[in-house]
Amino acid sequence: VKVKDGEILGKINQSERIFPASLTKIMTCIVTIEKMDDLEKIVPVSEEVYNRMMEENASMAGFFPGEEARVIDLLYGCILRSGGECSVALAEAVSGSEEEFTKLMNVKAEELGMEDTHFTNAVGLHDEEHFSTVEDISTLLLYALKNDRFKEIFCSEIYSVPPTNRHYAGFAFQSSMFS
């Protein structure tokens, strides 16, 4: 599906099932934005989450185990650097567990009419039961881009994280889309 200004310009294999991989983080981000009242809230990146993401060879944004970061910083890390540690930390902050968070993701997918999509994790790690279609992902992205906060994050090239308990001078990351 090729989209310009909300108009679909062309479709190729739009209904074929795919493994959405890191495109999953679009849903993780928009659900978090819609469910969290305070994007300045401090959220920990647990050692367990960090170690699991390392074991899974997930992409990481650069947060360390035990680091405490604001939700907004984790959202940028989730989208710009496809940070697995950010995705799970956000899921746990919203719902208490990644498993409960994926229920919210699937409810949102149903609300959006994403008829051939099912999420089993907030990161996009491969799982036979974690699937979507290009058409459904297009629906999700068009929906998410209507949210000003999501659009700001998604379209950013670089973001600076302020000092944290593990990065005393803060740090920055650049969008993987622009590299």
Side-chain angles (χ1 to χ4, degrees):
V1 175
K2 187 174 179 184
V3 178
K4 182 179 179 184
D5 299 325
E7 178 187 357
I8 297 174
L9 302 176
K11 297 179 181 184
I12 300 172
N13 300 327
Q14 75 273 5
S15 299
E16 186 177 313
R17 267 195 187 172
I18 60 168
F19 295 110
S22 285
L23 294 173
T24 299
K25 293 176 181 92
I26 297 169
M27 183 65 88
T28 301
C29 189
I30 194 65
V31 169
T32 300
I33 290 169
E34 291 180 351
K35 297 293 182 185
M36 292 289 287
D37 293 331
D38 182 8
L39 300 185
E40 296 294 317
K41 179 181 177 181
I42 302 296
V43 171
V45 176
S46 75
E47 191 166 334
E48 179 185 326
V49 164
Y50 182 88
N51 290 339
R52 183 167 67 89
M53 292 299 100
M54 291 298 285
E55 286 172 16
E56 294 279 354
N57 201 28
S59 345
M60 304 287 268
F63 292 94
F64 295 134
E67 189 153 8
E68 296 176 350
R70 299 175 308 166
V71 169
I72 190 66
D73 302 328
L74 295 170
L75 287 167
Y76 274 94
C78 179
I79 294 296
L80 297 188
R81 293 301 305 159
S82 194
E85 81 278 28
C86 300
S87 301
V88 179
L90 291 168
E92 290 178 347
V94 171
S95 298
S97 73
E98 186 177 15
E99 183 179 335
E100 288 301 311
F101 187 78
T102 59
K103 291 177 184 176
L104 295 177
M105 294 170 71
N106 287 315
V107 166
K108 177 56 75 177
E110 188 175 320
E111 287 173 5
L112 296 176
M114 297 169 65
E115 296 178 5
D116 202 12
T117 294
H118 184 261
F119 296 105
T120 61
N121 63 78
V123 180
L125 298 173
H126 186 78
D127 181 316
E128 291 296 321
E129 295 301 314
H130 189 94
F131 56 83
S132 191
T133 64
V134 172
E135 185 172 43
D136 281 358
I137 295 295
S138 297
T139 297
L140 172 60
L141 183 57
L142 288 172
Y143 170 80
L145 286 170
K146 291 176 186 172
N147 180 289
D148 291 337
R149 178 65 77 176
F150 178 87
K151 186 174 183 177
E152 176 185 315
I153 294 167
F154 189 78
C155 294
S156 294
E157 289 187 48
I158 193 164
Y159 181 76
S160 295
V161 177
T164 70
N165 64 318
R166 296 294 311 272
H167 282 97
Y168 305 118
F171 69 104
F173 34 79
Q174 189 170 356
S175 172
S176 54
M177 283 196 304
F178 297 99
S179 51

